[in-house]
């Protein structure tokens, strides 16, 4: 096939990139080679617009075993135990075909984890949809939730946490981010780096079909009015086969057969073979007529670019083929030696004894383009909110509007579709600040949470980046866990737009600052650019997935009030910041101004001091204060427990609305026994922590002294009515 400018453009390559390819190849590529360059040089696989910024993130630490660069990050949690985790996007596929897009997103992130030698123990997700009133939102929501639940439930991994958010910015480009967490022996971690010459390269798992061809390239481009035509690029998943593949791989990993292993994710056989070879500084030769295919007359081009699911590529030690094959035969999976490692540092592709393509490995990997794209700083504007200029509103009315809104309503309609208890180690399900998973047959546990805050990042990217790291940090601390490390999924618009690239660069700077200060390294992640349709980009939406350690789990800590007449303590200062607040958004449709200031010293000190209280068993319940402010956090604690509270009016801030709805950071609400107040007071004062005694728990009513009083039954009803009626 003649390589034309139109064909080059169709493959997502720029003229200057094609020129670079010819220079590296010292000739014109053929059609197959062009397709392979297209797969490896697209944004999704090469990170060509983000790499220079990602290098700034802190990725090392005492507990880090493996940082970015592998299938997933790995951290040490002591006693020879390791946690393997990562989050990735499947945004474009999920918009085009919601069920399969979301399902294969779950399948892909699970393979990233068990490829490392870890048994997956938990799934989480961060999903963002457009306005509930938009014509597509309901069907997209139903499809995505069904896909997440369908895959996770069938494979038998609990989906324990996540977030579901709505905003008009996602009307034409939803976000579906999937996170997986696994447990492994820290001395049995497997990597993708090939080693040794003439080692057998083995294809295992499902057969290759024509689904998903150019899926990675599709994820590296904006949508337009023809996006429906891209359905063939969406993969089709089979969780039952993935379960077999997982068990077969974990069984093979018990001996010393595997040299390297890589899942066939984005760009399929192309990326898996190239990554193996490049990391090992080797070549690889594949005989494509040996690739198991489920469709007739598949071409080398189709085989190399297919993103059919539930497949792995493995290099084995010499003489281990038959032993390994027995395992995969037992699990009724394909096992075929399709190639070998070489010393020529080329990707050599044969089909029916004919060489169809020869490409230098480094041309596909290390020589992929890296762009230092131009960007401009965000010109953020403050918007002083004068409440006198707004329609007069009472605290109770404002609270009801928030609790009954799509973003703050009870989301059990979603989470009840997920099996949260399979494997029997889920100590705390979704619904609190973080989920808790017990390490099997041990007293210790991990806490996991995912978080995002797009409006803060849109308003002031640096502050927004810092804030979302801190929000995730607080959610782990609020359940008594010490935060250890994060994974991130960075969802942005078109990087060729200087403003969008500026949002990315500044968000990364904020994430970097917070992670460094909190000793909270980034060990894995994903960048998703080109989230937009017809030049309309989404808000910058970095999603942070965090993992924390609970050394000894007796009784899980959550935000449910535990008893009557307990003291309620607010840790952290309240200034009454209302710009970019949920209060303004849900009551007055205002999204203006700057996000609240992030004081990293206060975040660290307040969080670490709270953990000291938890260690001494002084905390009955805990909740961080974030979107919706103090009153919303208190109401959430009441709704989930059926206990009410009586809250004192503010003593220092004269404006009650600012006090109760301000979204100032570094704050927690804790419930303590009255008899333990002096002990708590002493520890907080010794650590120079600002706190207030704001009220106490009670039966039946949620009350602000002298201002409002609502029954807990009504509060529960209000919080549940939106999803029940949608």
């Amino acid at each position: 096939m003649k390589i034309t400018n139109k064909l080059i453009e169709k493959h997502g390559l720029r003229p200057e990139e094609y020129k670079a390819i010819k220079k590296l190849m010292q000739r014109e590529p053929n059609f197959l080679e062009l397709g392979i360059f297209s797969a490896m040089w697209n944004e999704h696989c090469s990170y060509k617009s983000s790499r220079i910024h990602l290098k700034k993130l802190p990725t090392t630490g005492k507990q880090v075993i493996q940082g970015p660069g592998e299938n997933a990050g790995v951290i040490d949690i002591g006693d020879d135990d390791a946690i393997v985790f990562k989050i990735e996007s499947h945004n474009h596929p999920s918009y085009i075909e919601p069920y399969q897009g979301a399902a294969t997103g779950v399948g892909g992130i699970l393979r990233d984890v068990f490829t490392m030698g870890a048994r997956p123990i938990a799934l989480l997700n961060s999903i963002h949809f457009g306005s509930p009133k938009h014509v597509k939102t309901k069907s997209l929501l139903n499809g995505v939730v069904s896909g997440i639940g369908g895959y996770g439930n069938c494979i038998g991994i609990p989906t324990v946490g996540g977030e579901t958010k709505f905003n008009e910015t996602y009307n034409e480009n939803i976000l579906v981010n999937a996170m997986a967490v696994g447990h492994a022996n820290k001395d049995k971690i497997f990597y993708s780096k090939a080693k040794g010459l003439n080692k057998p390269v083995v294809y295992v798992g499902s057969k290759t079909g024509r689904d998903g061809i150019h899926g990675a390239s599709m994820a590296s481009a904006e949508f337009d009015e023809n996006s429906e035509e891209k359905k063939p690029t969406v993969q089709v998943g089979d969780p039952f086969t993935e379960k077999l593949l997982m068990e077969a791989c974990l069984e093979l990993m018990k001996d010393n057969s595997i040299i390297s292993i890589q899942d066939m994710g984005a760009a399929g056989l192309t990326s898996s073979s190239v990554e193996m070879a490049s990391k090992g500084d080797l070549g690889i030769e594949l005989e494509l007529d040996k690739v198991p295919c489920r469709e007739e007359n598949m071409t080398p081009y189709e085989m190399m670019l297919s993103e059919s699911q539930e497949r792995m590529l493995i290099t084995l030690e010499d003489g281990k083929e038959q032993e390994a094959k027995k395992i995969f035969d037992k699990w009724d999976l394909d096992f075929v030696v399709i190639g070998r490692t070489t010393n020529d540092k080329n990707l050599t592709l044969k089909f029916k004894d004919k060489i169809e393509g020869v490409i230098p490995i480094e041309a596909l990997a290390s020589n992929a383009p890296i762009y230092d794209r131009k960007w401009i700083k965000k010109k953020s504007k403050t918007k002083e909110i004068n409440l006198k200029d707004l329609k007069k509103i009472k605290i109770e009315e404002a609270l009801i509007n928030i609790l009954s809104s799509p973003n703050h309503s009870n989301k059990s309609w979603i989470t009840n579709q997920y099996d949260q208890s399979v494997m029997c180690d889920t100590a705390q399900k979704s619904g609190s600040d973080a989920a808790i998973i017990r390490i099997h047959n041990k007293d210790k546990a991990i806490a996991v949470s995912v978080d995002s805050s797009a409006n803060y990042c849109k308003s002031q990217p640096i502050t927004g980046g810092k804030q979302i790291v801190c929000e995730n940090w607080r959610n782990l601390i609020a359940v008594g866990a010490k935060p250890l490390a994060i994974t991130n999924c960075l969802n942005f618009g078109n990087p060729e737009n200087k403003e969008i690239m500026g949002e990315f660069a500044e968000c990364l700077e904020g994430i970097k600052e917070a992670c460094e200060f909190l000793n909270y390294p980034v060990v894995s992640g994903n960048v998703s650019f080109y989230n937009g349709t017809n030049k309309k980009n989404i808000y910058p939406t970095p999603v942070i997935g965090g993992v924390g350690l609970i050394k000894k789990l007796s009784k899980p800590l959550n935000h449910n009030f535990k008893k009557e007449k307990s003291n309620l303590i607010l840790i952290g200062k309240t200034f009454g910041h209302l710009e970019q607040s949920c209060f303004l958004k849900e009551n007055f449709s205002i999204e203006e101004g700057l996000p609240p200031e992030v004081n990293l010293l206060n975040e660290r000190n307040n969080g670490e001091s709270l953990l000291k209280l938890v260690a001494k068993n002084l905390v009955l319940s805990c909740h961080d204060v974030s979107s919706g402010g103090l009153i919303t956090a208190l109401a959430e604690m009441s709704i989930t427990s059926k206990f009410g509270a009586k809250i004192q009016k503010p003593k220092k801030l004269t404006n009650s609305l600012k006090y109760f709805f301000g979204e100032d950071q570094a704050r927690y609400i804790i419930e303590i026994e009255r008899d333990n107040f002096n002990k708590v007071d002493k520890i907080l004062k010794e650590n120079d922590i600002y706190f207030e005694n704001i009220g106490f728990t009670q039966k039946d009513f949620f009350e602000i002294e002298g201002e409002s009083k609502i029954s807990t039954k009504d509060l529960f009803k209000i919080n549940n009515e939106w999803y029940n009626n949608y």
Side-chain angles (χ1 to χ4, degrees), residues 348-591:
T348 302
L349 304 173
K350 292 183 175 179
F351 186 66
K352 296 180 179 179
D353 296 324
K354 181 184 174 184
I355 294 177
E356 296 286 344
V358 180
I359 309 175
I361 291 289
E362 64 179 13
L364 294 168
S366 57
N367 286 330
I370 298 176
Y371 294 134
D372 186 2
R373 297 198 184 274
K374 292 181 180 179
W375 59 276
I376 55 177
K377 287 182 73 71
K378 183 80 175 183
K379 293 179 180 178
S380 305
K381 294 181 181 179
T382 189
K383 174 79 173 176
E384 188 63 36
I385 306 300
N386 189 343
L387 294 173
K388 292 179 181 178
D389 296 338
L390 303 175
K391 176 187 165 186
K392 196 169 181 181
I393 191 168
K394 293 183 177 180
I395 292 173
E396 185 175 307
E397 182 187 355
L399 177 62
I400 288 171
N401 289 340
I402 290 172
L403 294 178
S404 61
S405 69
N407 281 318
H408 286 81
S409 291
N410 186 315
K411 294 181 176 63
S412 58
W413 175 85
I414 291 175
T415 56
N416 286 345
Q417 295 184 55
Y418 307 147
D419 191 334
Q420 300 186 63
S421 301
V422 64
M423 300 180 76
C424 301
D425 284 318
T426 306
Q428 185 155 284
K429 303 176 184 178
S430 61
S432 199
D433 292 276
I436 299 174
I437 313 298
R438 194 185 302 273
I439 302 302
H440 195 62
N441 289 330
K442 297 188 179 182
D443 289 335
K444 66 183 176 185
I446 57 166
V448 288
S449 180
V450 291
D451 301 280
S452 64
S453 187
N455 63 314
Y456 286 179
C457 292
K458 181 67 177 174
S459 169
Q460 194 171 62
I462 290 180
T463 302
K466 286 193 283 189
Q467 187 275 335
I468 200 57
V469 172
C470 293
E471 166 76 5
N472 186 264
W473 160 274
R474 290 197 301 273
N475 280 334
L476 298 180
I477 285 178
V479 299
K482 180 184 178 182
L484 295 181
I486 69 168
T487 181
N488 57 37
C489 195
L490 307 172
N491 307 278
F492 288 77
N494 190 334
E496 298 162 53
N497 179 312
K498 289 187 286 188
E499 291 183 0
I500 302 297
M501 201 63 215
E503 291 173 347
F504 180 81
E506 291 193 278
C507 274
L508 262 289
E509 182 61 35
I511 291 170
K512 169 184 174 289
E513 284 184 34
C515 287
E516 286 179 341
F517 196 90
L518 299 174
N519 189 25
Y520 203 26
V522 182
V523 298
S524 60
N526 170 237
V527 178
S528 176
F529 277 134
Y530 297 98
N531 288 290
T533 299
N534 294 325
K535 310 299 181 184
K536 189 176 180 181
N537 295 286
I538 65 162
Y539 284 0
T541 313
V543 176
I544 303 295
V547 176
L549 178 64
I550 302 172
K551 286 187 176 180
K552 188 174 179 63
L553 181 66
S554 51
K555 195 173 182 181
L557 180 63
N558 55 40
H559 70 217
N560 304 345
F561 289 145
K562 297 299 182 297
K563 59 195 306 185
E564 187 184 4
K565 296 181 180 178
S566 309
N567 275 27
L568 297 174
I569 307 294
L570 174 63
I571 293 174
K573 280 189 180 180
T574 299
F575 301 97
H577 187 98
L578 286 182
E579 293 176 39
Q580 290 295 333
S581 68
C582 177
F583 167 77
L584 291 178
K585 166 75 173 170
E586 301 301 345
N587 289 287
F588 302 100
S589 299
I590 295 174
E591 288 186 82

Side-chain angles (χ1 to χ4, degrees), residues 131-194:
S131 165
K133 297 176 182 177
H134 190 272
V135 65
K136 291 184 179 179
T137 296
K138 184 177 278 191
S139 64
L140 289 168
L141 175 65
N142 285 331
V144 166
V145 170
S146 297
I148 291 169
Y151 207 100
N153 295 353
C154 290
I155 198 172
I157 311 295
T159 301
V160 299
E163 59 175 7
T164 303
K165 294 186 175 181
F166 300 88
N167 190 290
E168 293 83 355
T169 189
Y170 310 109
N171 278 349
E172 303 296 334
N173 197 121
I174 64 173
L175 302 183
V176 177
N177 294 180
M179 177 176 172
V181 184
H183 171 235
N185 184 305
K186 72 176 186 180
D187 296 321
K188 290 286 285 184
I189 304 297
F190 291 80
Y191 300 96
S192 58
K193 180 180 178 180

Side-chain angles (χ1 to χ4, degrees), residues 591-604:
E591 288 186 82
E592 295 182 47
L594 302 179
E597 179 188 348
V598 176
N599 185 311
L600 293 173
L601 181 63
N602 286 346
E603 287 285 0
R604 186 177 67 191

